[in-house]
Amino acid sequence: MLNSSILLLTSTISPQDWHFVGRKGIDEREEDYFLALSFYSKFNLPIVFIDNSGHFSKRINSVISNISESEYLTFLSNHSNKGKGHGELEIIKYAFENSKLINKYDNIIKISGRYIISNFIHFLSNLTFNNKIHCCNYSRRFSWVDTRIMILDHYFINNYLFPTMDKFLDEPSSIFFERVYARSIHLFQYDGGKILLWPTYPFYNAINGENGRSIKFSFFKKIKYRLFYNVKKFVFSQTI
């Protein structure tokens, strides 16, 4: 029987092609994932941690083994050489084909596995879970969607996300994961689905995977982003 929510953390500890990553070094990347997983392990959520570089980490496993309902899966990607979006899609598909836990839960909260969201509990507790409503963070005139966090359910994944990604995703031709995800949401809307923005802006603490820069939210940065995002939500509610 399907229950409520599960956390899916995606990982690439040892990329096949370092050209696509800004965070260099296996040890550094493993540390990022270890810290993030340790953070999320505190919230009594079921967790599936999947690495697509075939790298098994004893440190990751030590955390997973202490979570009552969890899985640690690894495999070697066949598609991440095309770009990080192809690798991300492959991980999500691998989860649905190989995880014993994913299909037990209605809602999948996919987070890029090196990102710590300091206001995660506030974010999670205010989410709307309904397969007729898709919760996301649109930007760039509704043509781009933030994929660091994806709030997914089985209906949306099987009817919109996977079919649209299979048809259109082509990062070598600059058709990126974020744009194709937006297109899948457009199709969902065309079929009568409703859209909500994330309930609050996530305060990330991480190293940006594309350029290797640190992402941190100071007290004043949190205030600025919270105000900006509240305005965005208001404007969005008037246009959708």
Side-chain angles (χ1 to χ4, degrees), residues 136-153:
C136 63
N137 184 21
Y138 263 133
S139 61
R140 306 185 190 182
R141 299 180 180 179
F142 306 107
S143 66
W144 189 274
V145 183
D146 194 335
T147 60
R148 290 172 292 184
I149 304 174
M150 298 172 70
I151 313 302
L152 304 170
D153 60 66

Side-chain angles (χ1 to χ4, degrees), residues 54 61 70 100 119 136 176 178 180 220 228 236 240:
N61 192 55
S70 63
K100 296 177 181 178
N119 58 338
C136 63
F176 296 107
E178 292 83 357
V180 183
F220 292 107
F228 169 79
F236 185 85
I240 294 296

Side-chain angles (χ1 to χ4, degrees), residues 71-150:
E71 283 181 314
Y72 177 21
L73 304 176
T74 66
F75 71 100
L76 189 59
S77 172
N78 292 315
H79 302 296
S80 59
N81 61 311
K82 299 177 184 178
K84 68 179 182 64
H86 287 273
E88 193 81 352
L89 176 62
E90 191 178 18
I91 290 180
I92 298 173
K93 286 189 171 183
Y94 189 90
F96 277 83
E97 293 170 1
N98 296 276
S99 170
K100 296 177 181 178
L101 290 180
I102 285 287
N103 291 307
K104 291 171 59 179
Y105 290 87
D106 293 294
N107 307 295
I108 300 94
I109 304 167
K110 194 285 298 181
I111 301 179
S112 297
R114 293 184 303 102
Y115 283 79
I116 293 173
I117 301 167
S118 62
N119 58 338
F120 178 69
I121 285 298
H122 178 68
F123 182 93
L124 177 64
S125 61
N126 287 282
L127 280 174
T128 297
F129 293 114
N130 184 328
N131 65 10
K132 296 181 180 179
I133 299 173
H134 191 77
C135 192
C136 63
N137 184 21
Y138 263 133
S139 61
R140 306 185 190 182
R141 299 180 180 179
F142 306 107
S143 66
W144 189 274
V145 183
D146 194 335
T147 60
R148 290 172 292 184
I149 304 174
M150 298 172 70

Side-chain angles (χ1 to χ4, degrees), residues 181-219:
Y181 179 31
R183 181 172 290 198
S184 72
I185 297 172
H186 298 161
L187 293 172
F188 174 72
Q189 291 178 274
Y190 180 80
D191 287 341
K194 305 300 181 182
I195 305 299
L196 283 178
L197 287 182
W198 292 339
T200 189
Y201 194 84
F203 297 149
Y204 297 107
N205 181 10
I207 302 295
N208 188 299
E210 295 183 10
N211 55 36
R213 297 174 183 170
S214 176
I215 303 171
K216 290 185 178 180
F217 278 76
S218 66
F219 175 77

